[in-house]
Structure formats: C-alpha cells, structure tokens
Amino acid sequence: MNTLITRSASDLATALGAGETTSVEITQAFLDRIAAVDADVHAFLHVDAEGALAAARDSDERRATGDIRSRLDGVPVAVKDVLATEGLPTTCGSKILEGWIPPYDATVVRRLRQAGLPILGKTNMDEFAMGSSTEHSAYGPTRNPWDLDRIPGGSGGGSAAAVAAFMAPLAIGTDTGGSIRQPGAVTGTVGVKPTYGGISRYGLVAMANSLDQAGPVTRTVLDAALLHEIVGGHDPLDSTSIDQPVPLVAESAYSGVTGDLAGLRVGVVAELGGEGYQAGVQQRFDEAVELLVKAGAEIVQVSCPNFVHALAAYYLIMPSEASSNLARFDAMRYGLRVLPEGVEAPSAEEVMRATRDAGFGDEVKRRIILGTYALSSGYYDAYYGQAQKVRTLISRDFERAFEQADVLVSPTAPTTAFRLGEKLDDPLAMYLNDIATIPANLAGVPGLSVPAGLAPEDDLPVGFQVLAPALADDRLYRVGAALETLLEQQWGGPLLDPDKLDKAVAR
Ligand code: GLN
C-alpha cells in the first residue's frame, strides 16, 4: 500500500509545501486505492480520475510558480452526490436523477475547486439523503470498511466509508438530522455539522431547507477544521447564509491538540444516554468524559427535557419540507421521464405519476406521503404547527443548557454499526439512530463527532458528540482535538489503522 494514503490531509499539505511529493502523486495514490477496494466498499457512485488528475496537475504547476490557493491546495477530496458538480453526474442516490449532469457547481464545490482541491468523485448516499444506513441508495448500499456486512451509517455513508477506507483524505457530507455525524460515529471518522447558515446551501439538492447543512468528513479534527475554513463563510447566493466571518476553527483545533481544557464547562445531557444506548457505547462515552476531566474541564449535568420529543418533531418537519422540495422532480425539468404503459397520448399528469412511481424509492415515497399529510389543511395545526412549537422548546432547552455549560456532550449514535438489512423493514428502528443528533439540526447549533474507541462487545467504532451554541463552532474543534489527542495517546496511534481494516476490505 502506498503510505501517502494513510497520512492526514494536513500532513499531505505539509509534504506538498516541503516539495516531498506532488498533488499528482497523492491523487493517483488515492485513485489506485479506490480501484483496489471500492468494488467491496462501494463508497463512490462516480469516480472522476481524469478531472482529479487534471486539477492535481494544475495545482502542481501553480505551486511551482508560488501561486498557492489555500492550506489544502493539491489535497484531494470526495463530495457527497447531493451537491451539484458542473460536468459531473449528480444523482442524490436516486433513479430519478440518473444521468443528470448539472450545468453549475454548488458553492461548496466551487470553493473546493478554487482552493485547488482535486475532486476524486461523488459518494454514495441514501436516496435524497433519507436514511441512516445508505441502504436506501437506488444504486446499492455502501459497506462499512470495519466489517463489510455492516452499514456505514447514513445518509452520508459513502463519504464516511471513503475516508475510513483511505480512499480519500477528506470528504464533504450533508447533515439534516445526523447524516455527517452518525456515519462518522459508526466508521471511526470525524464529522462536523456546522452552525446552520455557516456553509452555503446553494447547489445542495434540498431535502429539508431549514435543517440541511454541509460539512467536513475527515480522519482528524484538524483536517475537518481546515476543510471547514475552505468551504465556510457567507454566500450571497444562499439567503440563509450567515454574513459573518467563519469562526476560528483551525486555530481552535491547533489549541485543542495540546490536550488542555482548563476552565471549560462541559455539560453531559441527561436525555442523551443511558437507557436505549448500547452498553459499550455508553462505556466509551463515560471514559471519554473522564479524560476531559483529566484535561481540566469541569463536568456539569444538564437536562434538556424536550429532547425526548425531537425525533417526533423532526419526522414531521423534515418530511413536510421534503414533500414540497421533491415536487420539482416532475419528469419535465430533470432526469428521468417514464411514459405510462398502454396509454396513448398520456397527459402531463400521467407522465409525472409514472415517472415518480418508477423514479422514487420506498423511503422517499413514504416521506412524501407523510409530509403531504402533515401539511394538508385540517392537519397542519395538529402536526406541522405542533412540531414547530416543539422545535422552539428544543431551542430553549439548548439556550438554558448553554447558560450552564460551554459545550454539551453525548454519544453520537445509540449503537455501533448494525448489520445490512437489519433495520431496512422497520423505518422506526432506523429513525431511532438519529435520536442524539437531531436536536442540533432542529435548533441550528453546530455538532461534531469524534471517534471514542471501539465498543468492547463488538469491536466497532463509537462516536463522541460535542455540541456548541450557534456560531461557536470553534469550541467543537478545541474539545474534539483535545479528546483525539488524549485518546490517541492511550491507543498508541489513530483508531483507523489500514492494516487492521484491510482484513475486512480487499480480502
Ligand atoms: N437519518 C436521518 C433521516 O433519515 C437524517 C438524514 C440526514 O441527515 N440527511 O432523515
């Protein structure tokens, strides 16, 4: 194995700066890795070897003239297939968009290109980002590199698995209810959902506009911060984008690496843990909290009583927004068009019905029906309206908790990676995976998941979630980097070890 692929993005950037390697060499090494293991993992829906190498050559040529565009110039990245990429297929994991090639780049993608990061390809996901296992992709599931019979989380399982299996040093995910953080937890990677509005949603195919947020997926907390800096910041093309400088995330990650958290108040959320959480997940979480104490943090117990209603509120608000967003897939403007069988001169409505029937998967249809129902007159007040009130109560719980603590912590997901197929026929069991991640989306606050070790009962990764007040994303990185440093001292190195993983992948 080429050892370049095992290095962090920040290490690769340093090596590029020192002239030890080139972007072409690095990019080729990741492309080779994809060719070697992605048949097993299926993290990518589309690999753009030619485009990535061309961008890498550009980066090398520019570097030779002293024109360096960013701290990660020349370091390749993978992008979740929900972000529009000019000239590259964008399917959102759906048959309805098969073959669609966007005429423009999402702002996130444009910023990656401008910063000189070669784009390796587009990663697999649950259809329209609906799911927690990537099994709802119309193109087949992604597998967890730790155990190919297990799910990599979702909806961004492709991005997480690509990074976990060393097929990319960096990836972009999106998180509406946990789709960056939960895949991070179950694959042993770092995932960050920034403050709502912190990263532009322009060109991000909308599932639920008031909840969707793009963010970094990486192997180290510092790498996530460096990527956050590149894609974050105000965008006039997104009316919900925050017109403020990006929080000092990289500086915070660097300061966290010292492992000193003196004076920091860390709130353990009573409602996010205990009953319903796998014993080994809870154990690794509790041990990590102890480490924070050793690092000088003060632990306080906080209660957020309305969090118990978060899942119910989310599964009304999200489908409501999705049902209206997905109306645009009408067989007229994008992708698939199916003509109904046996109908001569079908009407537009008949074509639309046949196309949506063939083009959408079961989970998407379920949510469109749920959302349409919740928004219908007569039910609006009872369902959508009530859910919005609960959303306000959850925001208030956060406000009160952040008066007592600088950051809040919990396990990221209640269990480690489950087996493929295990929850596919039980939507409610699938939804319960996001019990700890959803409150942050409802309130718009930022969250990070960092690996906390392996659960003793199954040797699978456990995620530790850190939450901060809106616009205080920098705190996530300080705490995340400190925990990462202290844990790696215990483990004697990073959790993700290519030699161990390769017993599962590329057998
Ligand atoms: N798993 C959650 C859902 O199915 C969250 C998805 C997401 O964050 N995109 O809606």
Side-chain angles (χ1 to χ4, degrees):
M1 184 197 303
N2 188 327
T3 54
L4 278 175
I5 62 167
T6 66
R7 298 172 72 170
S8 69
S10 95
D11 262 10
L12 290 171
T14 307
L16 282 168
E20 285 167 29
T21 182
T22 63
S23 177
V24 168
E25 237 169 45
I26 294 171
T27 303
Q28 189 60 57
F30 284 106
L31 290 169
D32 291 346
R33 175 71 173 175
I34 294 170
V37 305
D38 204 40
D40 280 342
V41 178
H42 192 225
F44 284 88
L45 291 177
H46 183 81
V47 177
D48 184 24
E50 211 178 296
L53 286 169
R57 268 192 300 277
D58 274 358
S59 169
D60 288 336
E61 280 166 21
R62 271 190 286 104
R63 187 176 290 278
T65 68
D67 174 13
I68 297 159
R69 300 249 168 104
S70 71
R71 293 208 242 194
L72 294 176
D73 194 340
V75 181
V77 62
V79 176
K80 188 177 179 182
D81 205 28
V82 70
L83 288 149
T85 40
E86 186 179 348
L88 274 186
T90 299
T91 67
C92 299
S94 181
K95 284 277 178 235
I96 214 158
L97 278 177
E98 193 164 15
W100 183 57
I101 302 201
Y104 71 104
D105 276 335
T107 295
V108 165
V109 172
R110 184 167 46 80
R111 289 185 178 169
L112 292 171
R113 294 197 208 266
Q114 282 170 348
L117 285 77
I119 294 177
L120 294 165
K122 306 295 293 289
T123 57
N124 199 11
M125 56 186 282
D126 285 297
E127 185 174 5
F128 287 108
M130 298 178 184
S132 306
S133 68
T134 316
E135 292 166 293
H136 293 308
S137 166
Y139 302 98
T142 297
R143 291 165 183 273
N144 191 321
W146 288 82
D147 177 346
L148 295 177
D149 295 327
R150 304 223 177 217
I151 59 101
S155 63
S159 283
V163 170
F166 300 90
M167 291 187 269
L170 304 163
I172 296 288
T174 60
D175 190 311
T176 304
S179 287
I180 292 177
R181 289 164 288 158
Q182 181 259 10
V186 301
T187 59
T189 53
V190 176
V192 183
K193 181 201 94 70
T195 297
Y196 180 76
I199 295 182
S200 170
R201 287 187 301 106
Y202 179 74
L204 192 180
V205 179
M207 163 152 93
N209 315 47
S210 75
L211 301 159
D212 296 342
Q213 188 54 223
V217 176
T218 58
R219 282 192 298 274
T220 74
V221 173
L222 175 60
D223 284 357
L226 295 173
L227 189 56
H228 187 153
E229 275 193 341
I230 286 171
V231 294
H234 182 240
D235 177 15
L237 298 175
D238 171 3
S239 62
T240 58
S241 157
I242 298 167
D243 193 0
Q244 279 195 33
V246 184
L248 295 175
V249 292
E251 282 68 9
S252 287
Y254 282 118
S255 84
V257 168
T258 59
D260 180 6
L261 294 176
L264 188 83
R265 296 171 307 162
V266 174
V268 176
V269 184
E271 288 76 10
L272 302 180
E275 205 191 322
Y277 285 71
Q278 186 181 322
V281 168
Q282 188 66 42
Q283 183 189 331
R284 291 295 178 244
F285 171 75
D286 292 341
E287 290 164 4
V289 170
E290 280 310 308
L291 272 184
L292 298 182
V293 175
K294 284 201 190 118
E298 178 200 336
I299 305 298
V300 291
Q301 303 296 324
V302 302
S303 174
C304 296
N306 294 295
F307 281 16
V308 296
H309 306 301
L311 200 71
Y314 172 86
Y315 276 99
L316 286 167
I317 294 169
M318 177 275 300
S320 298
E321 294 187 21
S323 72
S324 126
N325 278 320
L326 268 52
R328 68 170 61 95
F329 300 103
D330 58 3
M332 305 296 145
R333 288 175 281 190
Y334 315 89
L336 191 70
R337 177 176 300 170
V338 175
L339 300 177
E341 254 176 67
V343 186
E344 243 176 75
S347 67
E349 197 151 301
E350 284 166 331
V351 174
M352 206 181 296
R353 190 179 306 137
T355 302
R356 290 166 70 86
D357 185 33
F360 285 142
D362 288 350
E363 184 61 24
V364 173
K365 286 176 185 160
R366 181 179 294 126
R367 295 192 194 198
I368 291 174
I369 292 168
L370 259 173
T372 310
Y373 181 78
L375 289 178
S376 57
S377 71
Y379 293 107
Y380 182 97
D381 288 336
Y383 294 112
Y384 184 76
Q386 279 298 96
Q388 290 291 17
K389 287 180 191 157
V390 171
R391 188 172 190 176
T392 302
L393 295 176
I394 287 165
S395 294
R396 288 195 193 140
D397 276 2
F398 269 116
E399 280 164 27
R400 267 190 294 272
F402 285 128
E403 283 167 12
Q404 297 164 260
D406 303 306
V407 294
L408 303 179
V409 296
S410 76
T412 308
T415 67
T416 56
F418 48 90
R419 287 184 197 287
L420 279 136
E422 200 178 312
K423 303 197 175 178
L424 205 49
D425 298 325
D426 186 351
L428 219 55
M430 187 75 87
Y431 298 168
L432 279 166
N433 266 280
D434 301 307
I435 193 120
T437 45
I438 278 173
N441 300 79
L442 288 171
V445 304
L448 167 148
S449 180
V450 59
L454 303 180
E457 58 269 50
D458 53 20
D459 272 341
L460 289 166
V462 172
F464 184 95
Q465 176 174 239
V466 189
L467 303 166
L471 300 174
D473 305 47
D474 48 331
R475 289 184 202 169
L476 305 177
Y477 289 97
R478 176 169 171 223
V479 177
L483 192 58
E484 176 182 69
T485 303
L486 298 168
L487 282 168
E488 287 186 4
Q489 281 167 7
Q490 284 189 354
W491 303 330
L495 189 67
L496 277 158
D497 175 341
D499 293 330
K500 280 188 213 143
L501 277 185
D502 277 355
K503 290 193 190 117
V505 291
R507 288 167 291 192

